[in-house]
Amino acid sequence: MMKRRNFLAGSAAGLGLMAARRATAAETVNVYSARHYPSDQILFDMFTKETGIAVQVINGNAEELMQRQKQEAENSPADVLITVDAGNLWRAQEMGLLQGVKSAVLEKEIPENLRDPQGRWFALSKRARVIIYSPDKVKVEELSTYQDLANPKWKGRLLVRSSNNIYNQSLVAAMIETEGVEKTEAWAKGLVANFARKPEGGDIDQIMALTAGLGDLAISNSYYFARMLNSDKPEVKAKVEKLKIFFPNQAERGTHINISGAGVAAYAPNRANAVKFLEFLISPEAQKVFADANNEFPLRADVPPAPVVAAWGEFKADPVSVTALGKNNAEAVKLMDRVGWR
Ligand code: FE
């Protein structure tokens, strides 16, 4: 890996190698993607149109793709790995699946807390982990922080998915980073005591449960709420429109943020194309597609979020480095297990 990076720095031998590679695998970038949005194809087509580089995509869940890449090792055709959640990107990095990239474009556009300091992965979009609530049951003045969700006043009222989901693991990992294990564990214990039901389903199911009156407030990623507000099923839309979104910890550190992101594969056969591809994904036109298609927050300040998201207004985001979500993941999983968050 080190050797190849030196080649790319421009040594004569390196240029020879690159020419040889170009001749065999000309103008292609192979993408292993754990994102499953039809709109991602729009992005890939835009990239091909702009650069002439064909995008070959292999879809799978994050774990499958990482295991596949690991088994393929230096024979892997993967140039880019795309996945959601910094916890997954960190894991890919720890498994040696990604290589460091220096890119002035990526470093300029992507805030430092949303990328690996060694350039092994970069955020492409942001999502917030928020509170969705029934205003019939909860007054906005009663809401404040994630920490407050452990308050006994919420007993039997809180909906949240299981602990085996990485979104919750990352929320706990972020809290471990800023509050320490002990405080976080006491909090998680209180949280579990407030569950409205045994965790089941994903974030959307928690919001659906809210509409069915099975609880009063739910923890969810922001884009799911947006997606449901845009639902083409009128009966879902009507119910979800009665709910409200709350961004926790505005008077403190800010709301927990996670990312969707990508990195260049450790043995990328088309490394230069891979870097070009990542740089394209944070261009204003690509960021607009990200923002509109999945209702995530664009990384660039010059690209507005989708109208449904923009309607929520501005909020303060926790500035903690998302590397903490990976670093503290194992500790978070153990902690959630100890407090009985199933
Ligand atoms: Fe999701």
Side-chain angles (χ1 to χ4, degrees), residues 197-238:
R197 61 173 183 181
K198 199 168 150 271
E200 58 177 89
D203 286 357
I204 285 183
D205 298 297
Q206 311 315 313
I207 299 174
M208 286 311 288
L210 264 189
T211 67
L214 297 175
D216 299 345
L217 67 172
I219 300 176
S220 171
N221 278 358
S222 49
Y223 55 90
Y224 290 117
F225 186 52
R227 191 187 298 173
M228 292 169 87
L229 286 170
N230 281 338
S231 174
D232 46 20
K233 294 189 190 112
E235 69 281 7
V236 171
K237 197 173 152 73

Side-chain angles (χ1 to χ4, degrees), residues 243-323:
L243 304 177
K244 297 233 180 287
I245 185 169
F246 183 81
F247 290 89
N249 295 61
Q250 291 303 285
E252 287 84 16
R253 296 187 52 83
T255 298
H256 173 65
I257 292 296
N258 209 320
I259 59 168
S260 154
V264 174
Y267 301 103
N270 307 290
R271 188 186 189 278
N273 290 350
V275 175
K276 254 189 221 169
F277 182 68
L278 294 189
E279 290 177 349
F280 163 77
L281 290 177
I282 59 135
S283 67
E285 65 268 32
Q287 285 286 300
K288 175 127 182 47
V289 174
F290 266 110
D292 290 343
N294 195 36
N295 300 301
E296 289 179 78
F297 298 96
L299 280 185
R300 302 178 67 108
D302 56 353
V303 175
V308 62
V309 174
W312 300 335
E314 304 263 313
F315 69 97
K316 179 171 151 193
D318 185 347
V320 72
S321 169
V322 294
T323 55

Side-chain angles (χ1 to χ4, degrees), residues 77-96:
D79 292 308
V80 173
L81 175 70
I82 303 182
T83 185
V84 296
D85 202 289
N88 283 328
L89 291 161
W90 195 85
R91 229 171 88 68
Q93 155 208 312
E94 289 299 291
M95 287 166 74

